[in-house]
Amino acid sequence: MSQDLWLQNYDATCRLAQEIAENIHERNRQQRTGGNTAKLNMTLRASLQKLKQNIAQLRETLIRASTQRHIMQAEADRRQNLVDDLATRETRLNASFNRDISEAEPARSSLMTSGHGSGPAVNPWLVNESEETRGLGFGEIKQQQQQIIEAQDAGLDALAAVISRQKQMGQEIGNELDEHNEIIDDLAQLVDKTDSRIKNETHRVKLLDTKSASCGMLVVIVLLLIAIVVVASWQT
């Protein structure tokens, strides 16, 4: 049995993410060696945009398939986790692409020393420096902040995934309610038809009762007439 289209698109998106990671590594290597990275940066921007679009398409297709019950709920949850992992990977690739690999350690060292002497000068910007950043270079501080941002992005992605699943569950419940309402409407129509038939049959029974009573009276009258004739004949 051939693999379905969603899984094929997912595999292609994973390959695209791997290709982007390799190109970012190559871009960073060229930056370290002083190479020209303009063309590679343009390619990476286009690839990252395509990766974002592919992930959005995977998510939309998955929601549609799950809502229409083309796949089981367990499989839908598994694929949702795959899409969430891809979204997290896409966020990290964007962060890695935008990260400046050159660290300004010499500039920071010059700020820590006096321009006219060899002794260290007091930097007023570092008087209230926290323990987490004390002793770190600018590049390390930037990397630490980037990790915090990535963690926040991952939390937002997880929250978005939960909201998406709740929305999907709400849609499924709404569909089931619509089906139940249709069943109730059908039952109401059947009850109305049955009630109408019962009323018709009751009316017919009443007519038969009336006709039966009329026939009985006629029979009694005929019998009385016959009795009168017999009595009259007997007397004569």
Side-chain angles (χ1 to χ4, degrees), residues 26-35 37 41 99-102:
E26 177 63 20
R27 190 278 308 266
N28 293 341
R29 187 189 66 81
Q30 291 185 13
Q31 282 182 339
R32 287 192 297 269
T33 58
T37 61
N41 282 333
R99 184 181 301 137
D100 186 6
I101 65 169
S102 60

Side-chain angles (χ1 to χ4, degrees), residues 63 73 76-82 84 158-172:
I63 292 175
Q73 185 61 41
D77 292 339
R78 186 184 74 86
R79 295 187 181 187
Q80 183 64 49
N81 291 332
L82 294 177
D84 293 342
L159 179 60
V162 172
I163 294 174
S164 176
R165 292 177 185 175
Q166 290 179 345
K167 179 181 178 182
Q168 179 181 347
M169 291 175 61
Q171 291 175 347
E172 292 178 354

Side-chain angles (χ1 to χ4, degrees), residues 6 9-10 13-14 16-17 20 47-63 79-80 82-91 93-94 157:
W6 191 94
N9 292 336
Y10 171 77
T13 305
C14 288
L16 177 60
I20 292 172
S47 298
L48 286 169
Q49 183 65 26
K50 182 174 178 57
L51 177 63
K52 182 178 180 180
Q53 294 174 354
N54 288 356
I55 293 174
Q57 184 178 4
L58 285 173
R59 196 184 301 276
E60 180 181 355
T61 306
L62 176 59
I63 292 175
R79 295 187 181 187
Q80 183 64 49
L82 294 177
V83 174
D84 293 342
D85 291 340
L86 265 179
T88 302
R89 189 175 182 184
E90 185 256 342
T91 301
L93 287 173
N94 272 296
D157 291 337

